[in-house]
Amino acid sequence: MVCSSADGCRNRFVHNLSVSSMTMDVKAVVEFATVTRGISLVLQAVLNAAIPDHEADAFRPPRTEEPLYLDPVVDWLFGGLAHWDAEHFLFIAERGYLYEHNFAFFPLFPIVLRGLAETLLWPLSSWLSVRGRLLLAVALGNSALFLLSVVALYALSRVVLQDRRLALLSSLLYCFTPANVFMTAGYSESLFAALTFGGLFLLEKGFTLRACLALSIATAARSNGLVNIGFLLYLPSLNAISQIRVYRATTKGRSKVLHYIWVILRLLLTSLFGTAVIALPFCAFQYYGFRTFCTPSTSLEQIHPALLSLGERRGYRVPDENGPPPLWCMRPLPLLYSHIQDVYWDVGFLRYFELKQIPNFILAMPMATLAIMAAYAYFQANPELCLRLGLWGTGLEKPTPGFFNPKAFVYVVHSTVLLVFGTLCMHVQVLTRFMASSSPVPFWISAHLLLLNEPLLHRRKTSNPNVQLQTDPKNSFMHTPQNPILALLPHFKSCSPTTQSILGYFLSYWILGLALHCNFLPWT
């Protein structure tokens, strides 16, 4: 098609350039994520075989199904992915919600695993038991979900940061996430990250209904999906204020008032509807838990004897229509999730602040430091914007690309909220995976610090203060860029202290997590 004007040709060229660069970046990120997934699976198998399993006091349900021909092979290859809380997800996928404390784990991930086992992996049913197919589903499913999450993170980063270099580097760092083992093992982190980052991208692009659906499904994977309601309340409010500001400057009379009323009414309806949709899976799951234990229809005779014996030995409550209901059923708001966190995991405000937990606080310190640095640096760069809650100010009209973009404000607030809640009210060692699967900010601030402080990432022979990624000298920037992470690793000793700290943290946790978690040793 021939351009109708010079401006039209220029705009089309810029658009095609942007699409081309995004396509190349996505390809580079997906390729790198695929490689890191493969290395993770190989490493966990080797480390699990080389290091004896620790005898941990963890949930280990008895096997009630006879193993088939390929079960020993699959267990040798991927058995390290089924330790600690992964046992709960696998048990739920195989047996459903039998024990009371199983309800701490939300149902979407077990449903995905069982769905894969009964569809894609069904042809293997003659050689693999249900347990074996579920374990294979963990390896395949979480690898695919991680690839989706890294693409969603890149897309979200491009929209929010409006900086290709920062978005690319953030996504590449995510491939070496400190929460790597939880993105690989039988946990719901990869699923939750893909839905959360994807939902927030849709919300940023104005697809509110589809965003609500994605964030609602995310809540069916993890309870902290409820926190995403804040984005649904904030981003449409920001858009409504922008519309009112524009309309006030261009329109007069009665139509202006009617327009204001319509914008506010639409905002209220969107907020109420979106909040209800996102909270629905949580409420439905709690109702299911209430019906299971407070008005049970199951007798002890219907439960497998081996599973019933385990419950009796370990004090796991099972539903019994002939027994008295648990005390939490009598509360004004009988939330099973709150009861489990309180009784089984001893989760509560400041409960983890004990001397014996100092090692766990040290484990969480790097992630907490990144979140604190992000909040501090953002406030220092945008004090007026922060005081105005990012809703109005001069920076909104001419946003600066990069981490200090006004669009990043709500994400920094979200990260700070997760940090405070995770530190004060949770087992603090889970802060690493809690934040790495819920917020892009740890990766944005890490990439920002690398671009700011690492000379090897600057173009040579230039005094331009803007940081540029190096490219293959034989190609222009529009060709596939050199992976900056892989470019830095061979020169690790000559990198800046900031780079050594960030890459050292990411890589050490990436490897240590596989070695420790896959052998029932304590980890984050």
Side-chain angles (χ1 to χ4, degrees):
M1 184 180 292
V2 180
C3 298
S4 58
S5 65
D7 288 341
C9 289
R10 187 182 302 109
N11 292 337
R12 183 172 300 169
F13 174 75
V14 172
H15 173 73
N16 292 338
L17 200 66
S18 176
V19 172
S20 177
S21 67
M22 181 176 291
T23 302
M24 288 190 300
D25 287 352
V26 169
K27 181 181 178 182
V29 167
V30 169
E31 288 176 351
F32 191 49
T34 303
V35 171
T36 59
R37 291 308 89 202
I39 295 174
S40 294
L41 290 175
V42 171
L43 271 181
Q44 67 82 28
V46 172
L47 293 169
N48 188 37
I51 303 173
D53 281 354
H54 174 64
E55 289 297 326
D57 183 22
F59 179 65
R60 293 187 180 184
R63 306 286 179 259
T64 58
E65 186 182 12
E66 288 296 324
L68 298 179
Y69 303 109
L70 293 181
D71 278 304
V73 177
V74 170
D75 191 62
W76 186 88
L77 289 173
F78 305 119
L81 305 180
H83 293 171
W84 293 111
D85 288 352
E87 278 286 9
H88 289 277
F89 286 111
L90 289 168
F91 179 80
I92 294 165
E94 183 177 1
R95 292 284 177 177
Y97 285 91
L98 175 63
Y99 301 120
E100 187 179 59
H101 68 290
N102 290 149
F103 278 82
F105 305 92
F106 277 49
L108 182 60
F109 186 60
I111 290 173
V112 170
L113 293 182
R114 190 60 187 246
L116 287 174
E118 299 296 342
T119 54
L120 183 64
L121 301 177
W122 175 251
L124 299 175
S125 58
S126 299
W127 296 277
L128 276 175
S129 65
V130 174
R131 163 82 181 191
R133 281 181 281 136
L134 289 173
L135 198 52
L136 188 57
V138 166
L140 297 177
N142 265 350
S143 296
L145 288 167
F146 186 84
L147 296 183
L148 290 176
S149 70
V150 75
V151 172
L153 175 62
Y154 174 79
L156 176 64
S157 302
R158 280 293 294 260
V159 171
V160 175
L161 303 176
Q162 300 175 354
D163 186 322
R164 176 192 174 188
R165 300 159 300 170
L166 194 56
L168 176 61
L169 188 55
S170 301
S171 303
L172 293 173
L173 282 171
Y174 177 74
C175 296
F176 272 126
T177 171
N180 172 56
V181 67
F182 302 104
M183 299 290 194
T184 309
Y187 283 66
S188 58
E189 267 71 9
S190 286
L191 175 61
F192 183 75
L195 290 167
T196 298
F197 297 154
L200 295 178
F201 168 74
L202 292 172
L203 193 58
E204 287 283 356
K205 297 294 286 185
F207 302 116
T208 306
L209 185 59
R210 278 176 274 184
C212 287
L213 180 60
L215 296 177
S216 175
I217 298 173
T219 307
R222 291 185 61 84
S223 62
N224 57 295
L226 290 171
V227 183
N228 292 329
I229 292 175
F231 289 102
L232 188 68
L233 299 177
Y234 181 85
L235 292 177
S237 299
L238 186 62
N239 184 51
I241 292 174
S242 177
Q243 289 183 22
I244 291 175
R245 187 186 299 114
V246 171
Y247 207 78
R248 184 178 59 184
T250 58
T251 310
K252 297 180 180 180
R254 182 180 177 185
S255 59
K256 179 190 290 188
V257 177
L258 293 177
H259 182 78
Y260 290 169
I261 294 174
W262 166 242
V263 169
I264 294 172
L265 182 62
R266 185 173 60 183
L267 174 63
L268 291 174
L269 291 175
T270 300
S271 300
L272 290 173
F273 173 77
T275 299
V277 170
I278 294 175
L280 180 61
F282 180 85
C283 297
F285 187 53
Q286 298 312 300
Y287 178 71
Y288 172 59
F290 178 85
R291 290 294 303 270
T292 300
F293 286 96
C294 300
T295 58
S297 58
T298 303
S299 63
L300 298 181
E301 290 75 17
Q302 296 173 269
I303 301 173
H304 193 285
L307 300 178
L308 186 61
S309 175
L310 174 66
E312 291 174 350
R313 292 197 315 270
R314 300 298 299 268
Y316 300 153
R317 181 186 293 275
V318 296
D320 181 14
E321 62 181 355
N322 299 316
L327 294 178
W328 63 265
C329 294
M330 312 303 174
R331 294 175 182 173
L333 187 62
L335 287 180
L336 176 53
Y337 185 76
S338 300
H339 167 74
I340 293 170
Q341 295 295 331
D342 178 32
V343 173
Y344 288 92
W345 271 270
D346 194 30
V347 172
F349 183 65
L350 298 182
R351 289 190 186 180
Y352 223 56
F353 280 69
E354 301 176 316
L355 288 177
K356 65 180 182 180
Q357 302 299 346
I358 288 178
N360 288 322
F361 276 88
I362 294 174
L363 278 177
M365 188 62 68
M367 181 60 70
T369 301
L370 286 177
I372 293 170
M373 290 178 66
Y376 177 77
Y378 195 88
F379 181 80
Q380 286 289 100
N382 301 295
E384 182 181 353
L385 181 76
C386 293
L387 293 175
R388 294 177 177 180
L389 302 181
L391 296 174
W392 66 89
T394 55
L396 295 175
E397 284 74 22
K398 296 181 179 180
T400 303
F403 180 70
F404 299 130
N405 193 309
K407 292 171 71 71
F409 169 78
V410 65
Y411 296 89
V412 175
V413 172
H414 172 253
S415 170
T416 306
V417 170
L418 294 180
L419 170 66
V420 173
F421 179 78
T423 302
L424 300 181
C425 303
M426 295 173 58
H427 291 183
V428 74
Q429 69 267 26
V430 307
L431 193 67
T432 302
R433 58 186 172 100
F434 178 61
M435 295 191 65
S437 63
S438 306
S439 171
V441 169
F443 308 101
W444 290 351
I445 186 62
S446 298
H448 170 77
L449 292 172
L450 287 182
L451 291 174
L452 189 65
N453 296 285
E454 181 47 60
L456 294 178
L457 292 178
H458 292 217
R459 280 193 186 275
R460 297 177 180 177
K461 299 179 182 180
T462 178
S463 59
N464 190 340
N466 293 326
V467 178
Q468 302 286 341
L469 288 179
Q470 288 184 337
T471 59
D472 189 333
K474 298 179 181 179
N475 297 298
S476 68
F477 189 65
M478 282 313 301
H479 290 77
T480 304
Q482 181 182 359
N483 186 321
I485 302 298
L486 295 181
L488 288 174
L489 289 179
H491 308 286
F492 184 81
K493 290 184 179 180
S494 60
C495 289
S496 68
T498 300
T499 301
Q500 292 178 348
S501 298
I502 292 174
L503 293 185
Y505 164 51
F506 275 63
L507 287 171
S508 61
Y509 272 53
W510 193 81
I511 296 173
L512 279 174
L514 294 171
L516 297 178
H517 182 275
C518 293
N519 291 285
F520 269 120
L521 291 164
W523 189 237
T524 64

